[in-house]
Amino acid sequence: MSRPVPRTAAVAAAVALLSGLAAAPAQAAPAEQRQRDFAAAASEFGVPQNVLLGVSYLESRWDANAGTPSTAAGYGPMHLTDLREAGVATSHHDEGSEDPRGDDARPARHPEGEAAAPPPQLQTVDEAARLAGTDAATLRSDARQNIRGGAALLAKYQRDLGKAGSGNVQDWYDAVARYSGSAEAGAAQAFADEVFETIKSGVARTTDDGQQVSLAATPDLAPPRHDGNPADVECPRSVACESVPAPYQELPKDDYGNHDLADRPKSQKIDHIVIHDTEGYWDNVLQLVQDPTYVSWHYSIRSNDGLIAQHVPTKDVAWHAGNWYVNAKSIGIEHEGFAAKGTWYTEAMYRTSAKLVRYLAHKYDIPLDRAHIIGHDNVPGTVPATIKGMHWDPGPYWDWAHYFDLMGAPLGGFGLPGSSLVTIDPDFAKNQPAFTGCEKPGQPCTLRGSEAVVLHTEPSETAPLLKDAGLHPDGSASTMDVADVGSRVATGQQYAVAEVRGDWTAIWYLGQKGWFPNPRNARVAKPAIGWVVTPKPGLASVPVFGRAYPEPEAYPANVPVQVITPLPYTLLSGQKYSSAGTVGSEYYYATTFDPADHVVVRGKLKYVQIQFGHRIAFVKADDVRIVPAF
């Protein structure tokens, strides 16, 4: 079976086709100013144009990002960093009422962290401004000047290495590594590896502000590569990875931290990989995960260069997702960044994260789809009382479509027209919901590309949003607050079609019809092939659960029975929801420091994982029929 063509390759093919038609009359000229800006800056400062393009692509994919900073305080296509403007942040684990462990058998853990200061090395805009003869504010806001500033920095790094004036692309490897801002040689070299791999393969795309930019392939390029990773980390060789262990340590009052020992996948199959963001900067995040009184996750990924730090062996259970059933069967990956503060995730981080997830998915036989590679915002509450406090990172500005392209598993477009199942797949750059609350409650967020599609109660932009009985138990409608996921769907998620009226499509969502515009010339949802669940004949509704726990009879005498508590939603007769397959019922009892006392309880009860709202959920297999959708 042939591999689907990644979108970047498809765009490159389209650009080649357009180039071949250059002589055709009456063709609208593409927006190529940014391409000319790269050429001009490369010539002015003596940097090979493909090196400048390659570095910029690894930082920003040539995007302007509406003048907002990245998760590493970087601005513009060249990611010039300015901490004065980016500010400080705290860890998202300190916010809301979520217990990251999410186990009813233990007291809730709500760790406290301190404000995270940005790392001082992330301040390149001042030197770039001096070298380019302009000021920091201009470099942050003007894409052309930003490119000049980045080219000036690269040229300076090359001069510092005693290689000024070299036209040999491979001679720029060390200057590119330094541009990463990384103090670790392995991480800087891995960044340079990715840049030179991009130069070697070539790429073309249209930026978030409509600029068409291309980098021609240099297939005979053979730069040096970094030396690999320590033997004690679980990472692919092509990324930079280090070990920063989270402590497994006894604490006073019969407590311990900050994770649980296990023997996965022998003890339990790993079903999910959960994508988080840190809401804080790198150094502080690493300090927190090394605190035995804090919580834990398996990996962290740095924004500016994509460095990966492993904290917990994947065989063990980290405390990260706020749902113990999901924790016990998942791997958690934190990404340095912010879900809402007007920031964007760097290409360097997307690439190393995608390589790590692809590696882990292959190792543990986890499907590369959005039912199994999920955000923290897709993890369900455990019981009605915990839904409101569940976290919502990595937020609506995480580019799921690009992320899956990098994994070689493109989303959307695999069904026949008129299918009763759709995959959400908007154009990220053009899809710009008017969220509020990114900086202050009620304040409009900067309009920018998003993976999120907002749902309405009727086929009209002025119709109210849907209701979420868990997030809004008072019966009020959902809102456009960036943290309110009660009436939105995410790229890659699949839903059953409930109705179509003209350019509008309705899907089943939390027991309601959710409408969104889906015009023929700008599809937001693509036909899909898969399976859906619906209540068995004779059942008016079936309960929905946030975890797939066993029946009471399955528990041994020394393990407290975990109550199977339904969420405040129901799946009604006549409605259908996308199925991710049948799963067995399990509960990992691990409340003591000695793993000899830990028990995996397995029941006869079977569940089906479904895409019920923005978050996944579970229904009992005996309550539903699973039928094909095509």
Side-chain angles (χ1 to χ4, degrees), residues 572-619:
L572 301 174
S573 176
Q575 297 183 0
K576 297 178 181 178
Y577 293 87
S578 174
S579 166
T582 302
V583 297
S585 53
E586 293 182 4
Y587 171 65
Y588 184 39
Y589 180 65
T591 63
T592 62
F593 181 74
D594 186 355
D597 298 329
H598 299 178
V599 178
V600 177
V601 180
R602 293 186 175 87
K604 296 180 180 179
L605 196 59
K606 301 291 184 183
Y607 292 83
V608 181
Q609 179 184 318
I610 62 173
Q611 188 65 60
F612 191 60
H614 187 81
R615 303 180 187 271
I616 63 172
F618 302 92
V619 291

Side-chain angles (χ1 to χ4, degrees), residues 453-454 456 460-461 503-505 515-519 522-525:
V453 174
V454 177
H456 297 267
S460 168
E461 294 282 6
D503 286 343
W504 285 76
T505 297
W515 291 90
F516 59 91
N518 191 33
R523 291 295 192 196
V524 168

Side-chain angles (χ1 to χ4, degrees), residues 31-44:
E32 296 177 341
Q33 183 58 51
R34 189 149 306 150
Q35 186 86 51
R36 292 191 288 270
D37 291 341
F38 278 112
S43 175
E44 179 182 359

Side-chain angles (χ1 to χ4, degrees), residues 86-95 111-119 278-288 294 338 341:
V88 300
T90 58
S91 167
H92 77 266
H93 290 293
D94 307 329
E95 300 175 1
E112 294 183 359
E114 297 181 356
T278 60
E279 295 298 317
Y281 289 104
W282 183 256
D283 291 345
N284 183 259
V285 169
L286 262 57
Q287 291 172 1
L288 292 174
Y294 205 67
F338 309 91
K341 290 187 58 165

Side-chain angles (χ1 to χ4, degrees), residues 79-159:
H79 196 256
L80 299 175
T81 54
D82 191 347
L83 297 172
R84 291 186 301 270
E85 292 296 313
V88 300
T90 58
S91 167
H92 77 266
H93 290 293
D94 307 329
E95 300 175 1
S97 59
E98 180 186 277
D99 166 20
R101 192 162 53 190
D103 183 9
D104 295 348
R106 292 178 274 192
R109 172 165 288 201
H110 298 290
E112 294 183 359
E114 297 181 356
Q121 67 267 28
L122 294 182
Q123 187 70 31
T124 62
V125 72
D126 297 323
E127 186 171 26
R130 179 181 62 80
L131 293 168
T134 184
D135 58 78
T138 299
L139 292 184
R140 290 194 304 268
S141 60
D142 186 312
R144 184 177 73 85
Q145 294 297 333
N146 184 275
I147 292 168
R148 289 186 66 248
L153 270 183
L154 267 173
K156 179 184 183 301
Y157 296 159
Q158 187 77 342
R159 289 195 300 273

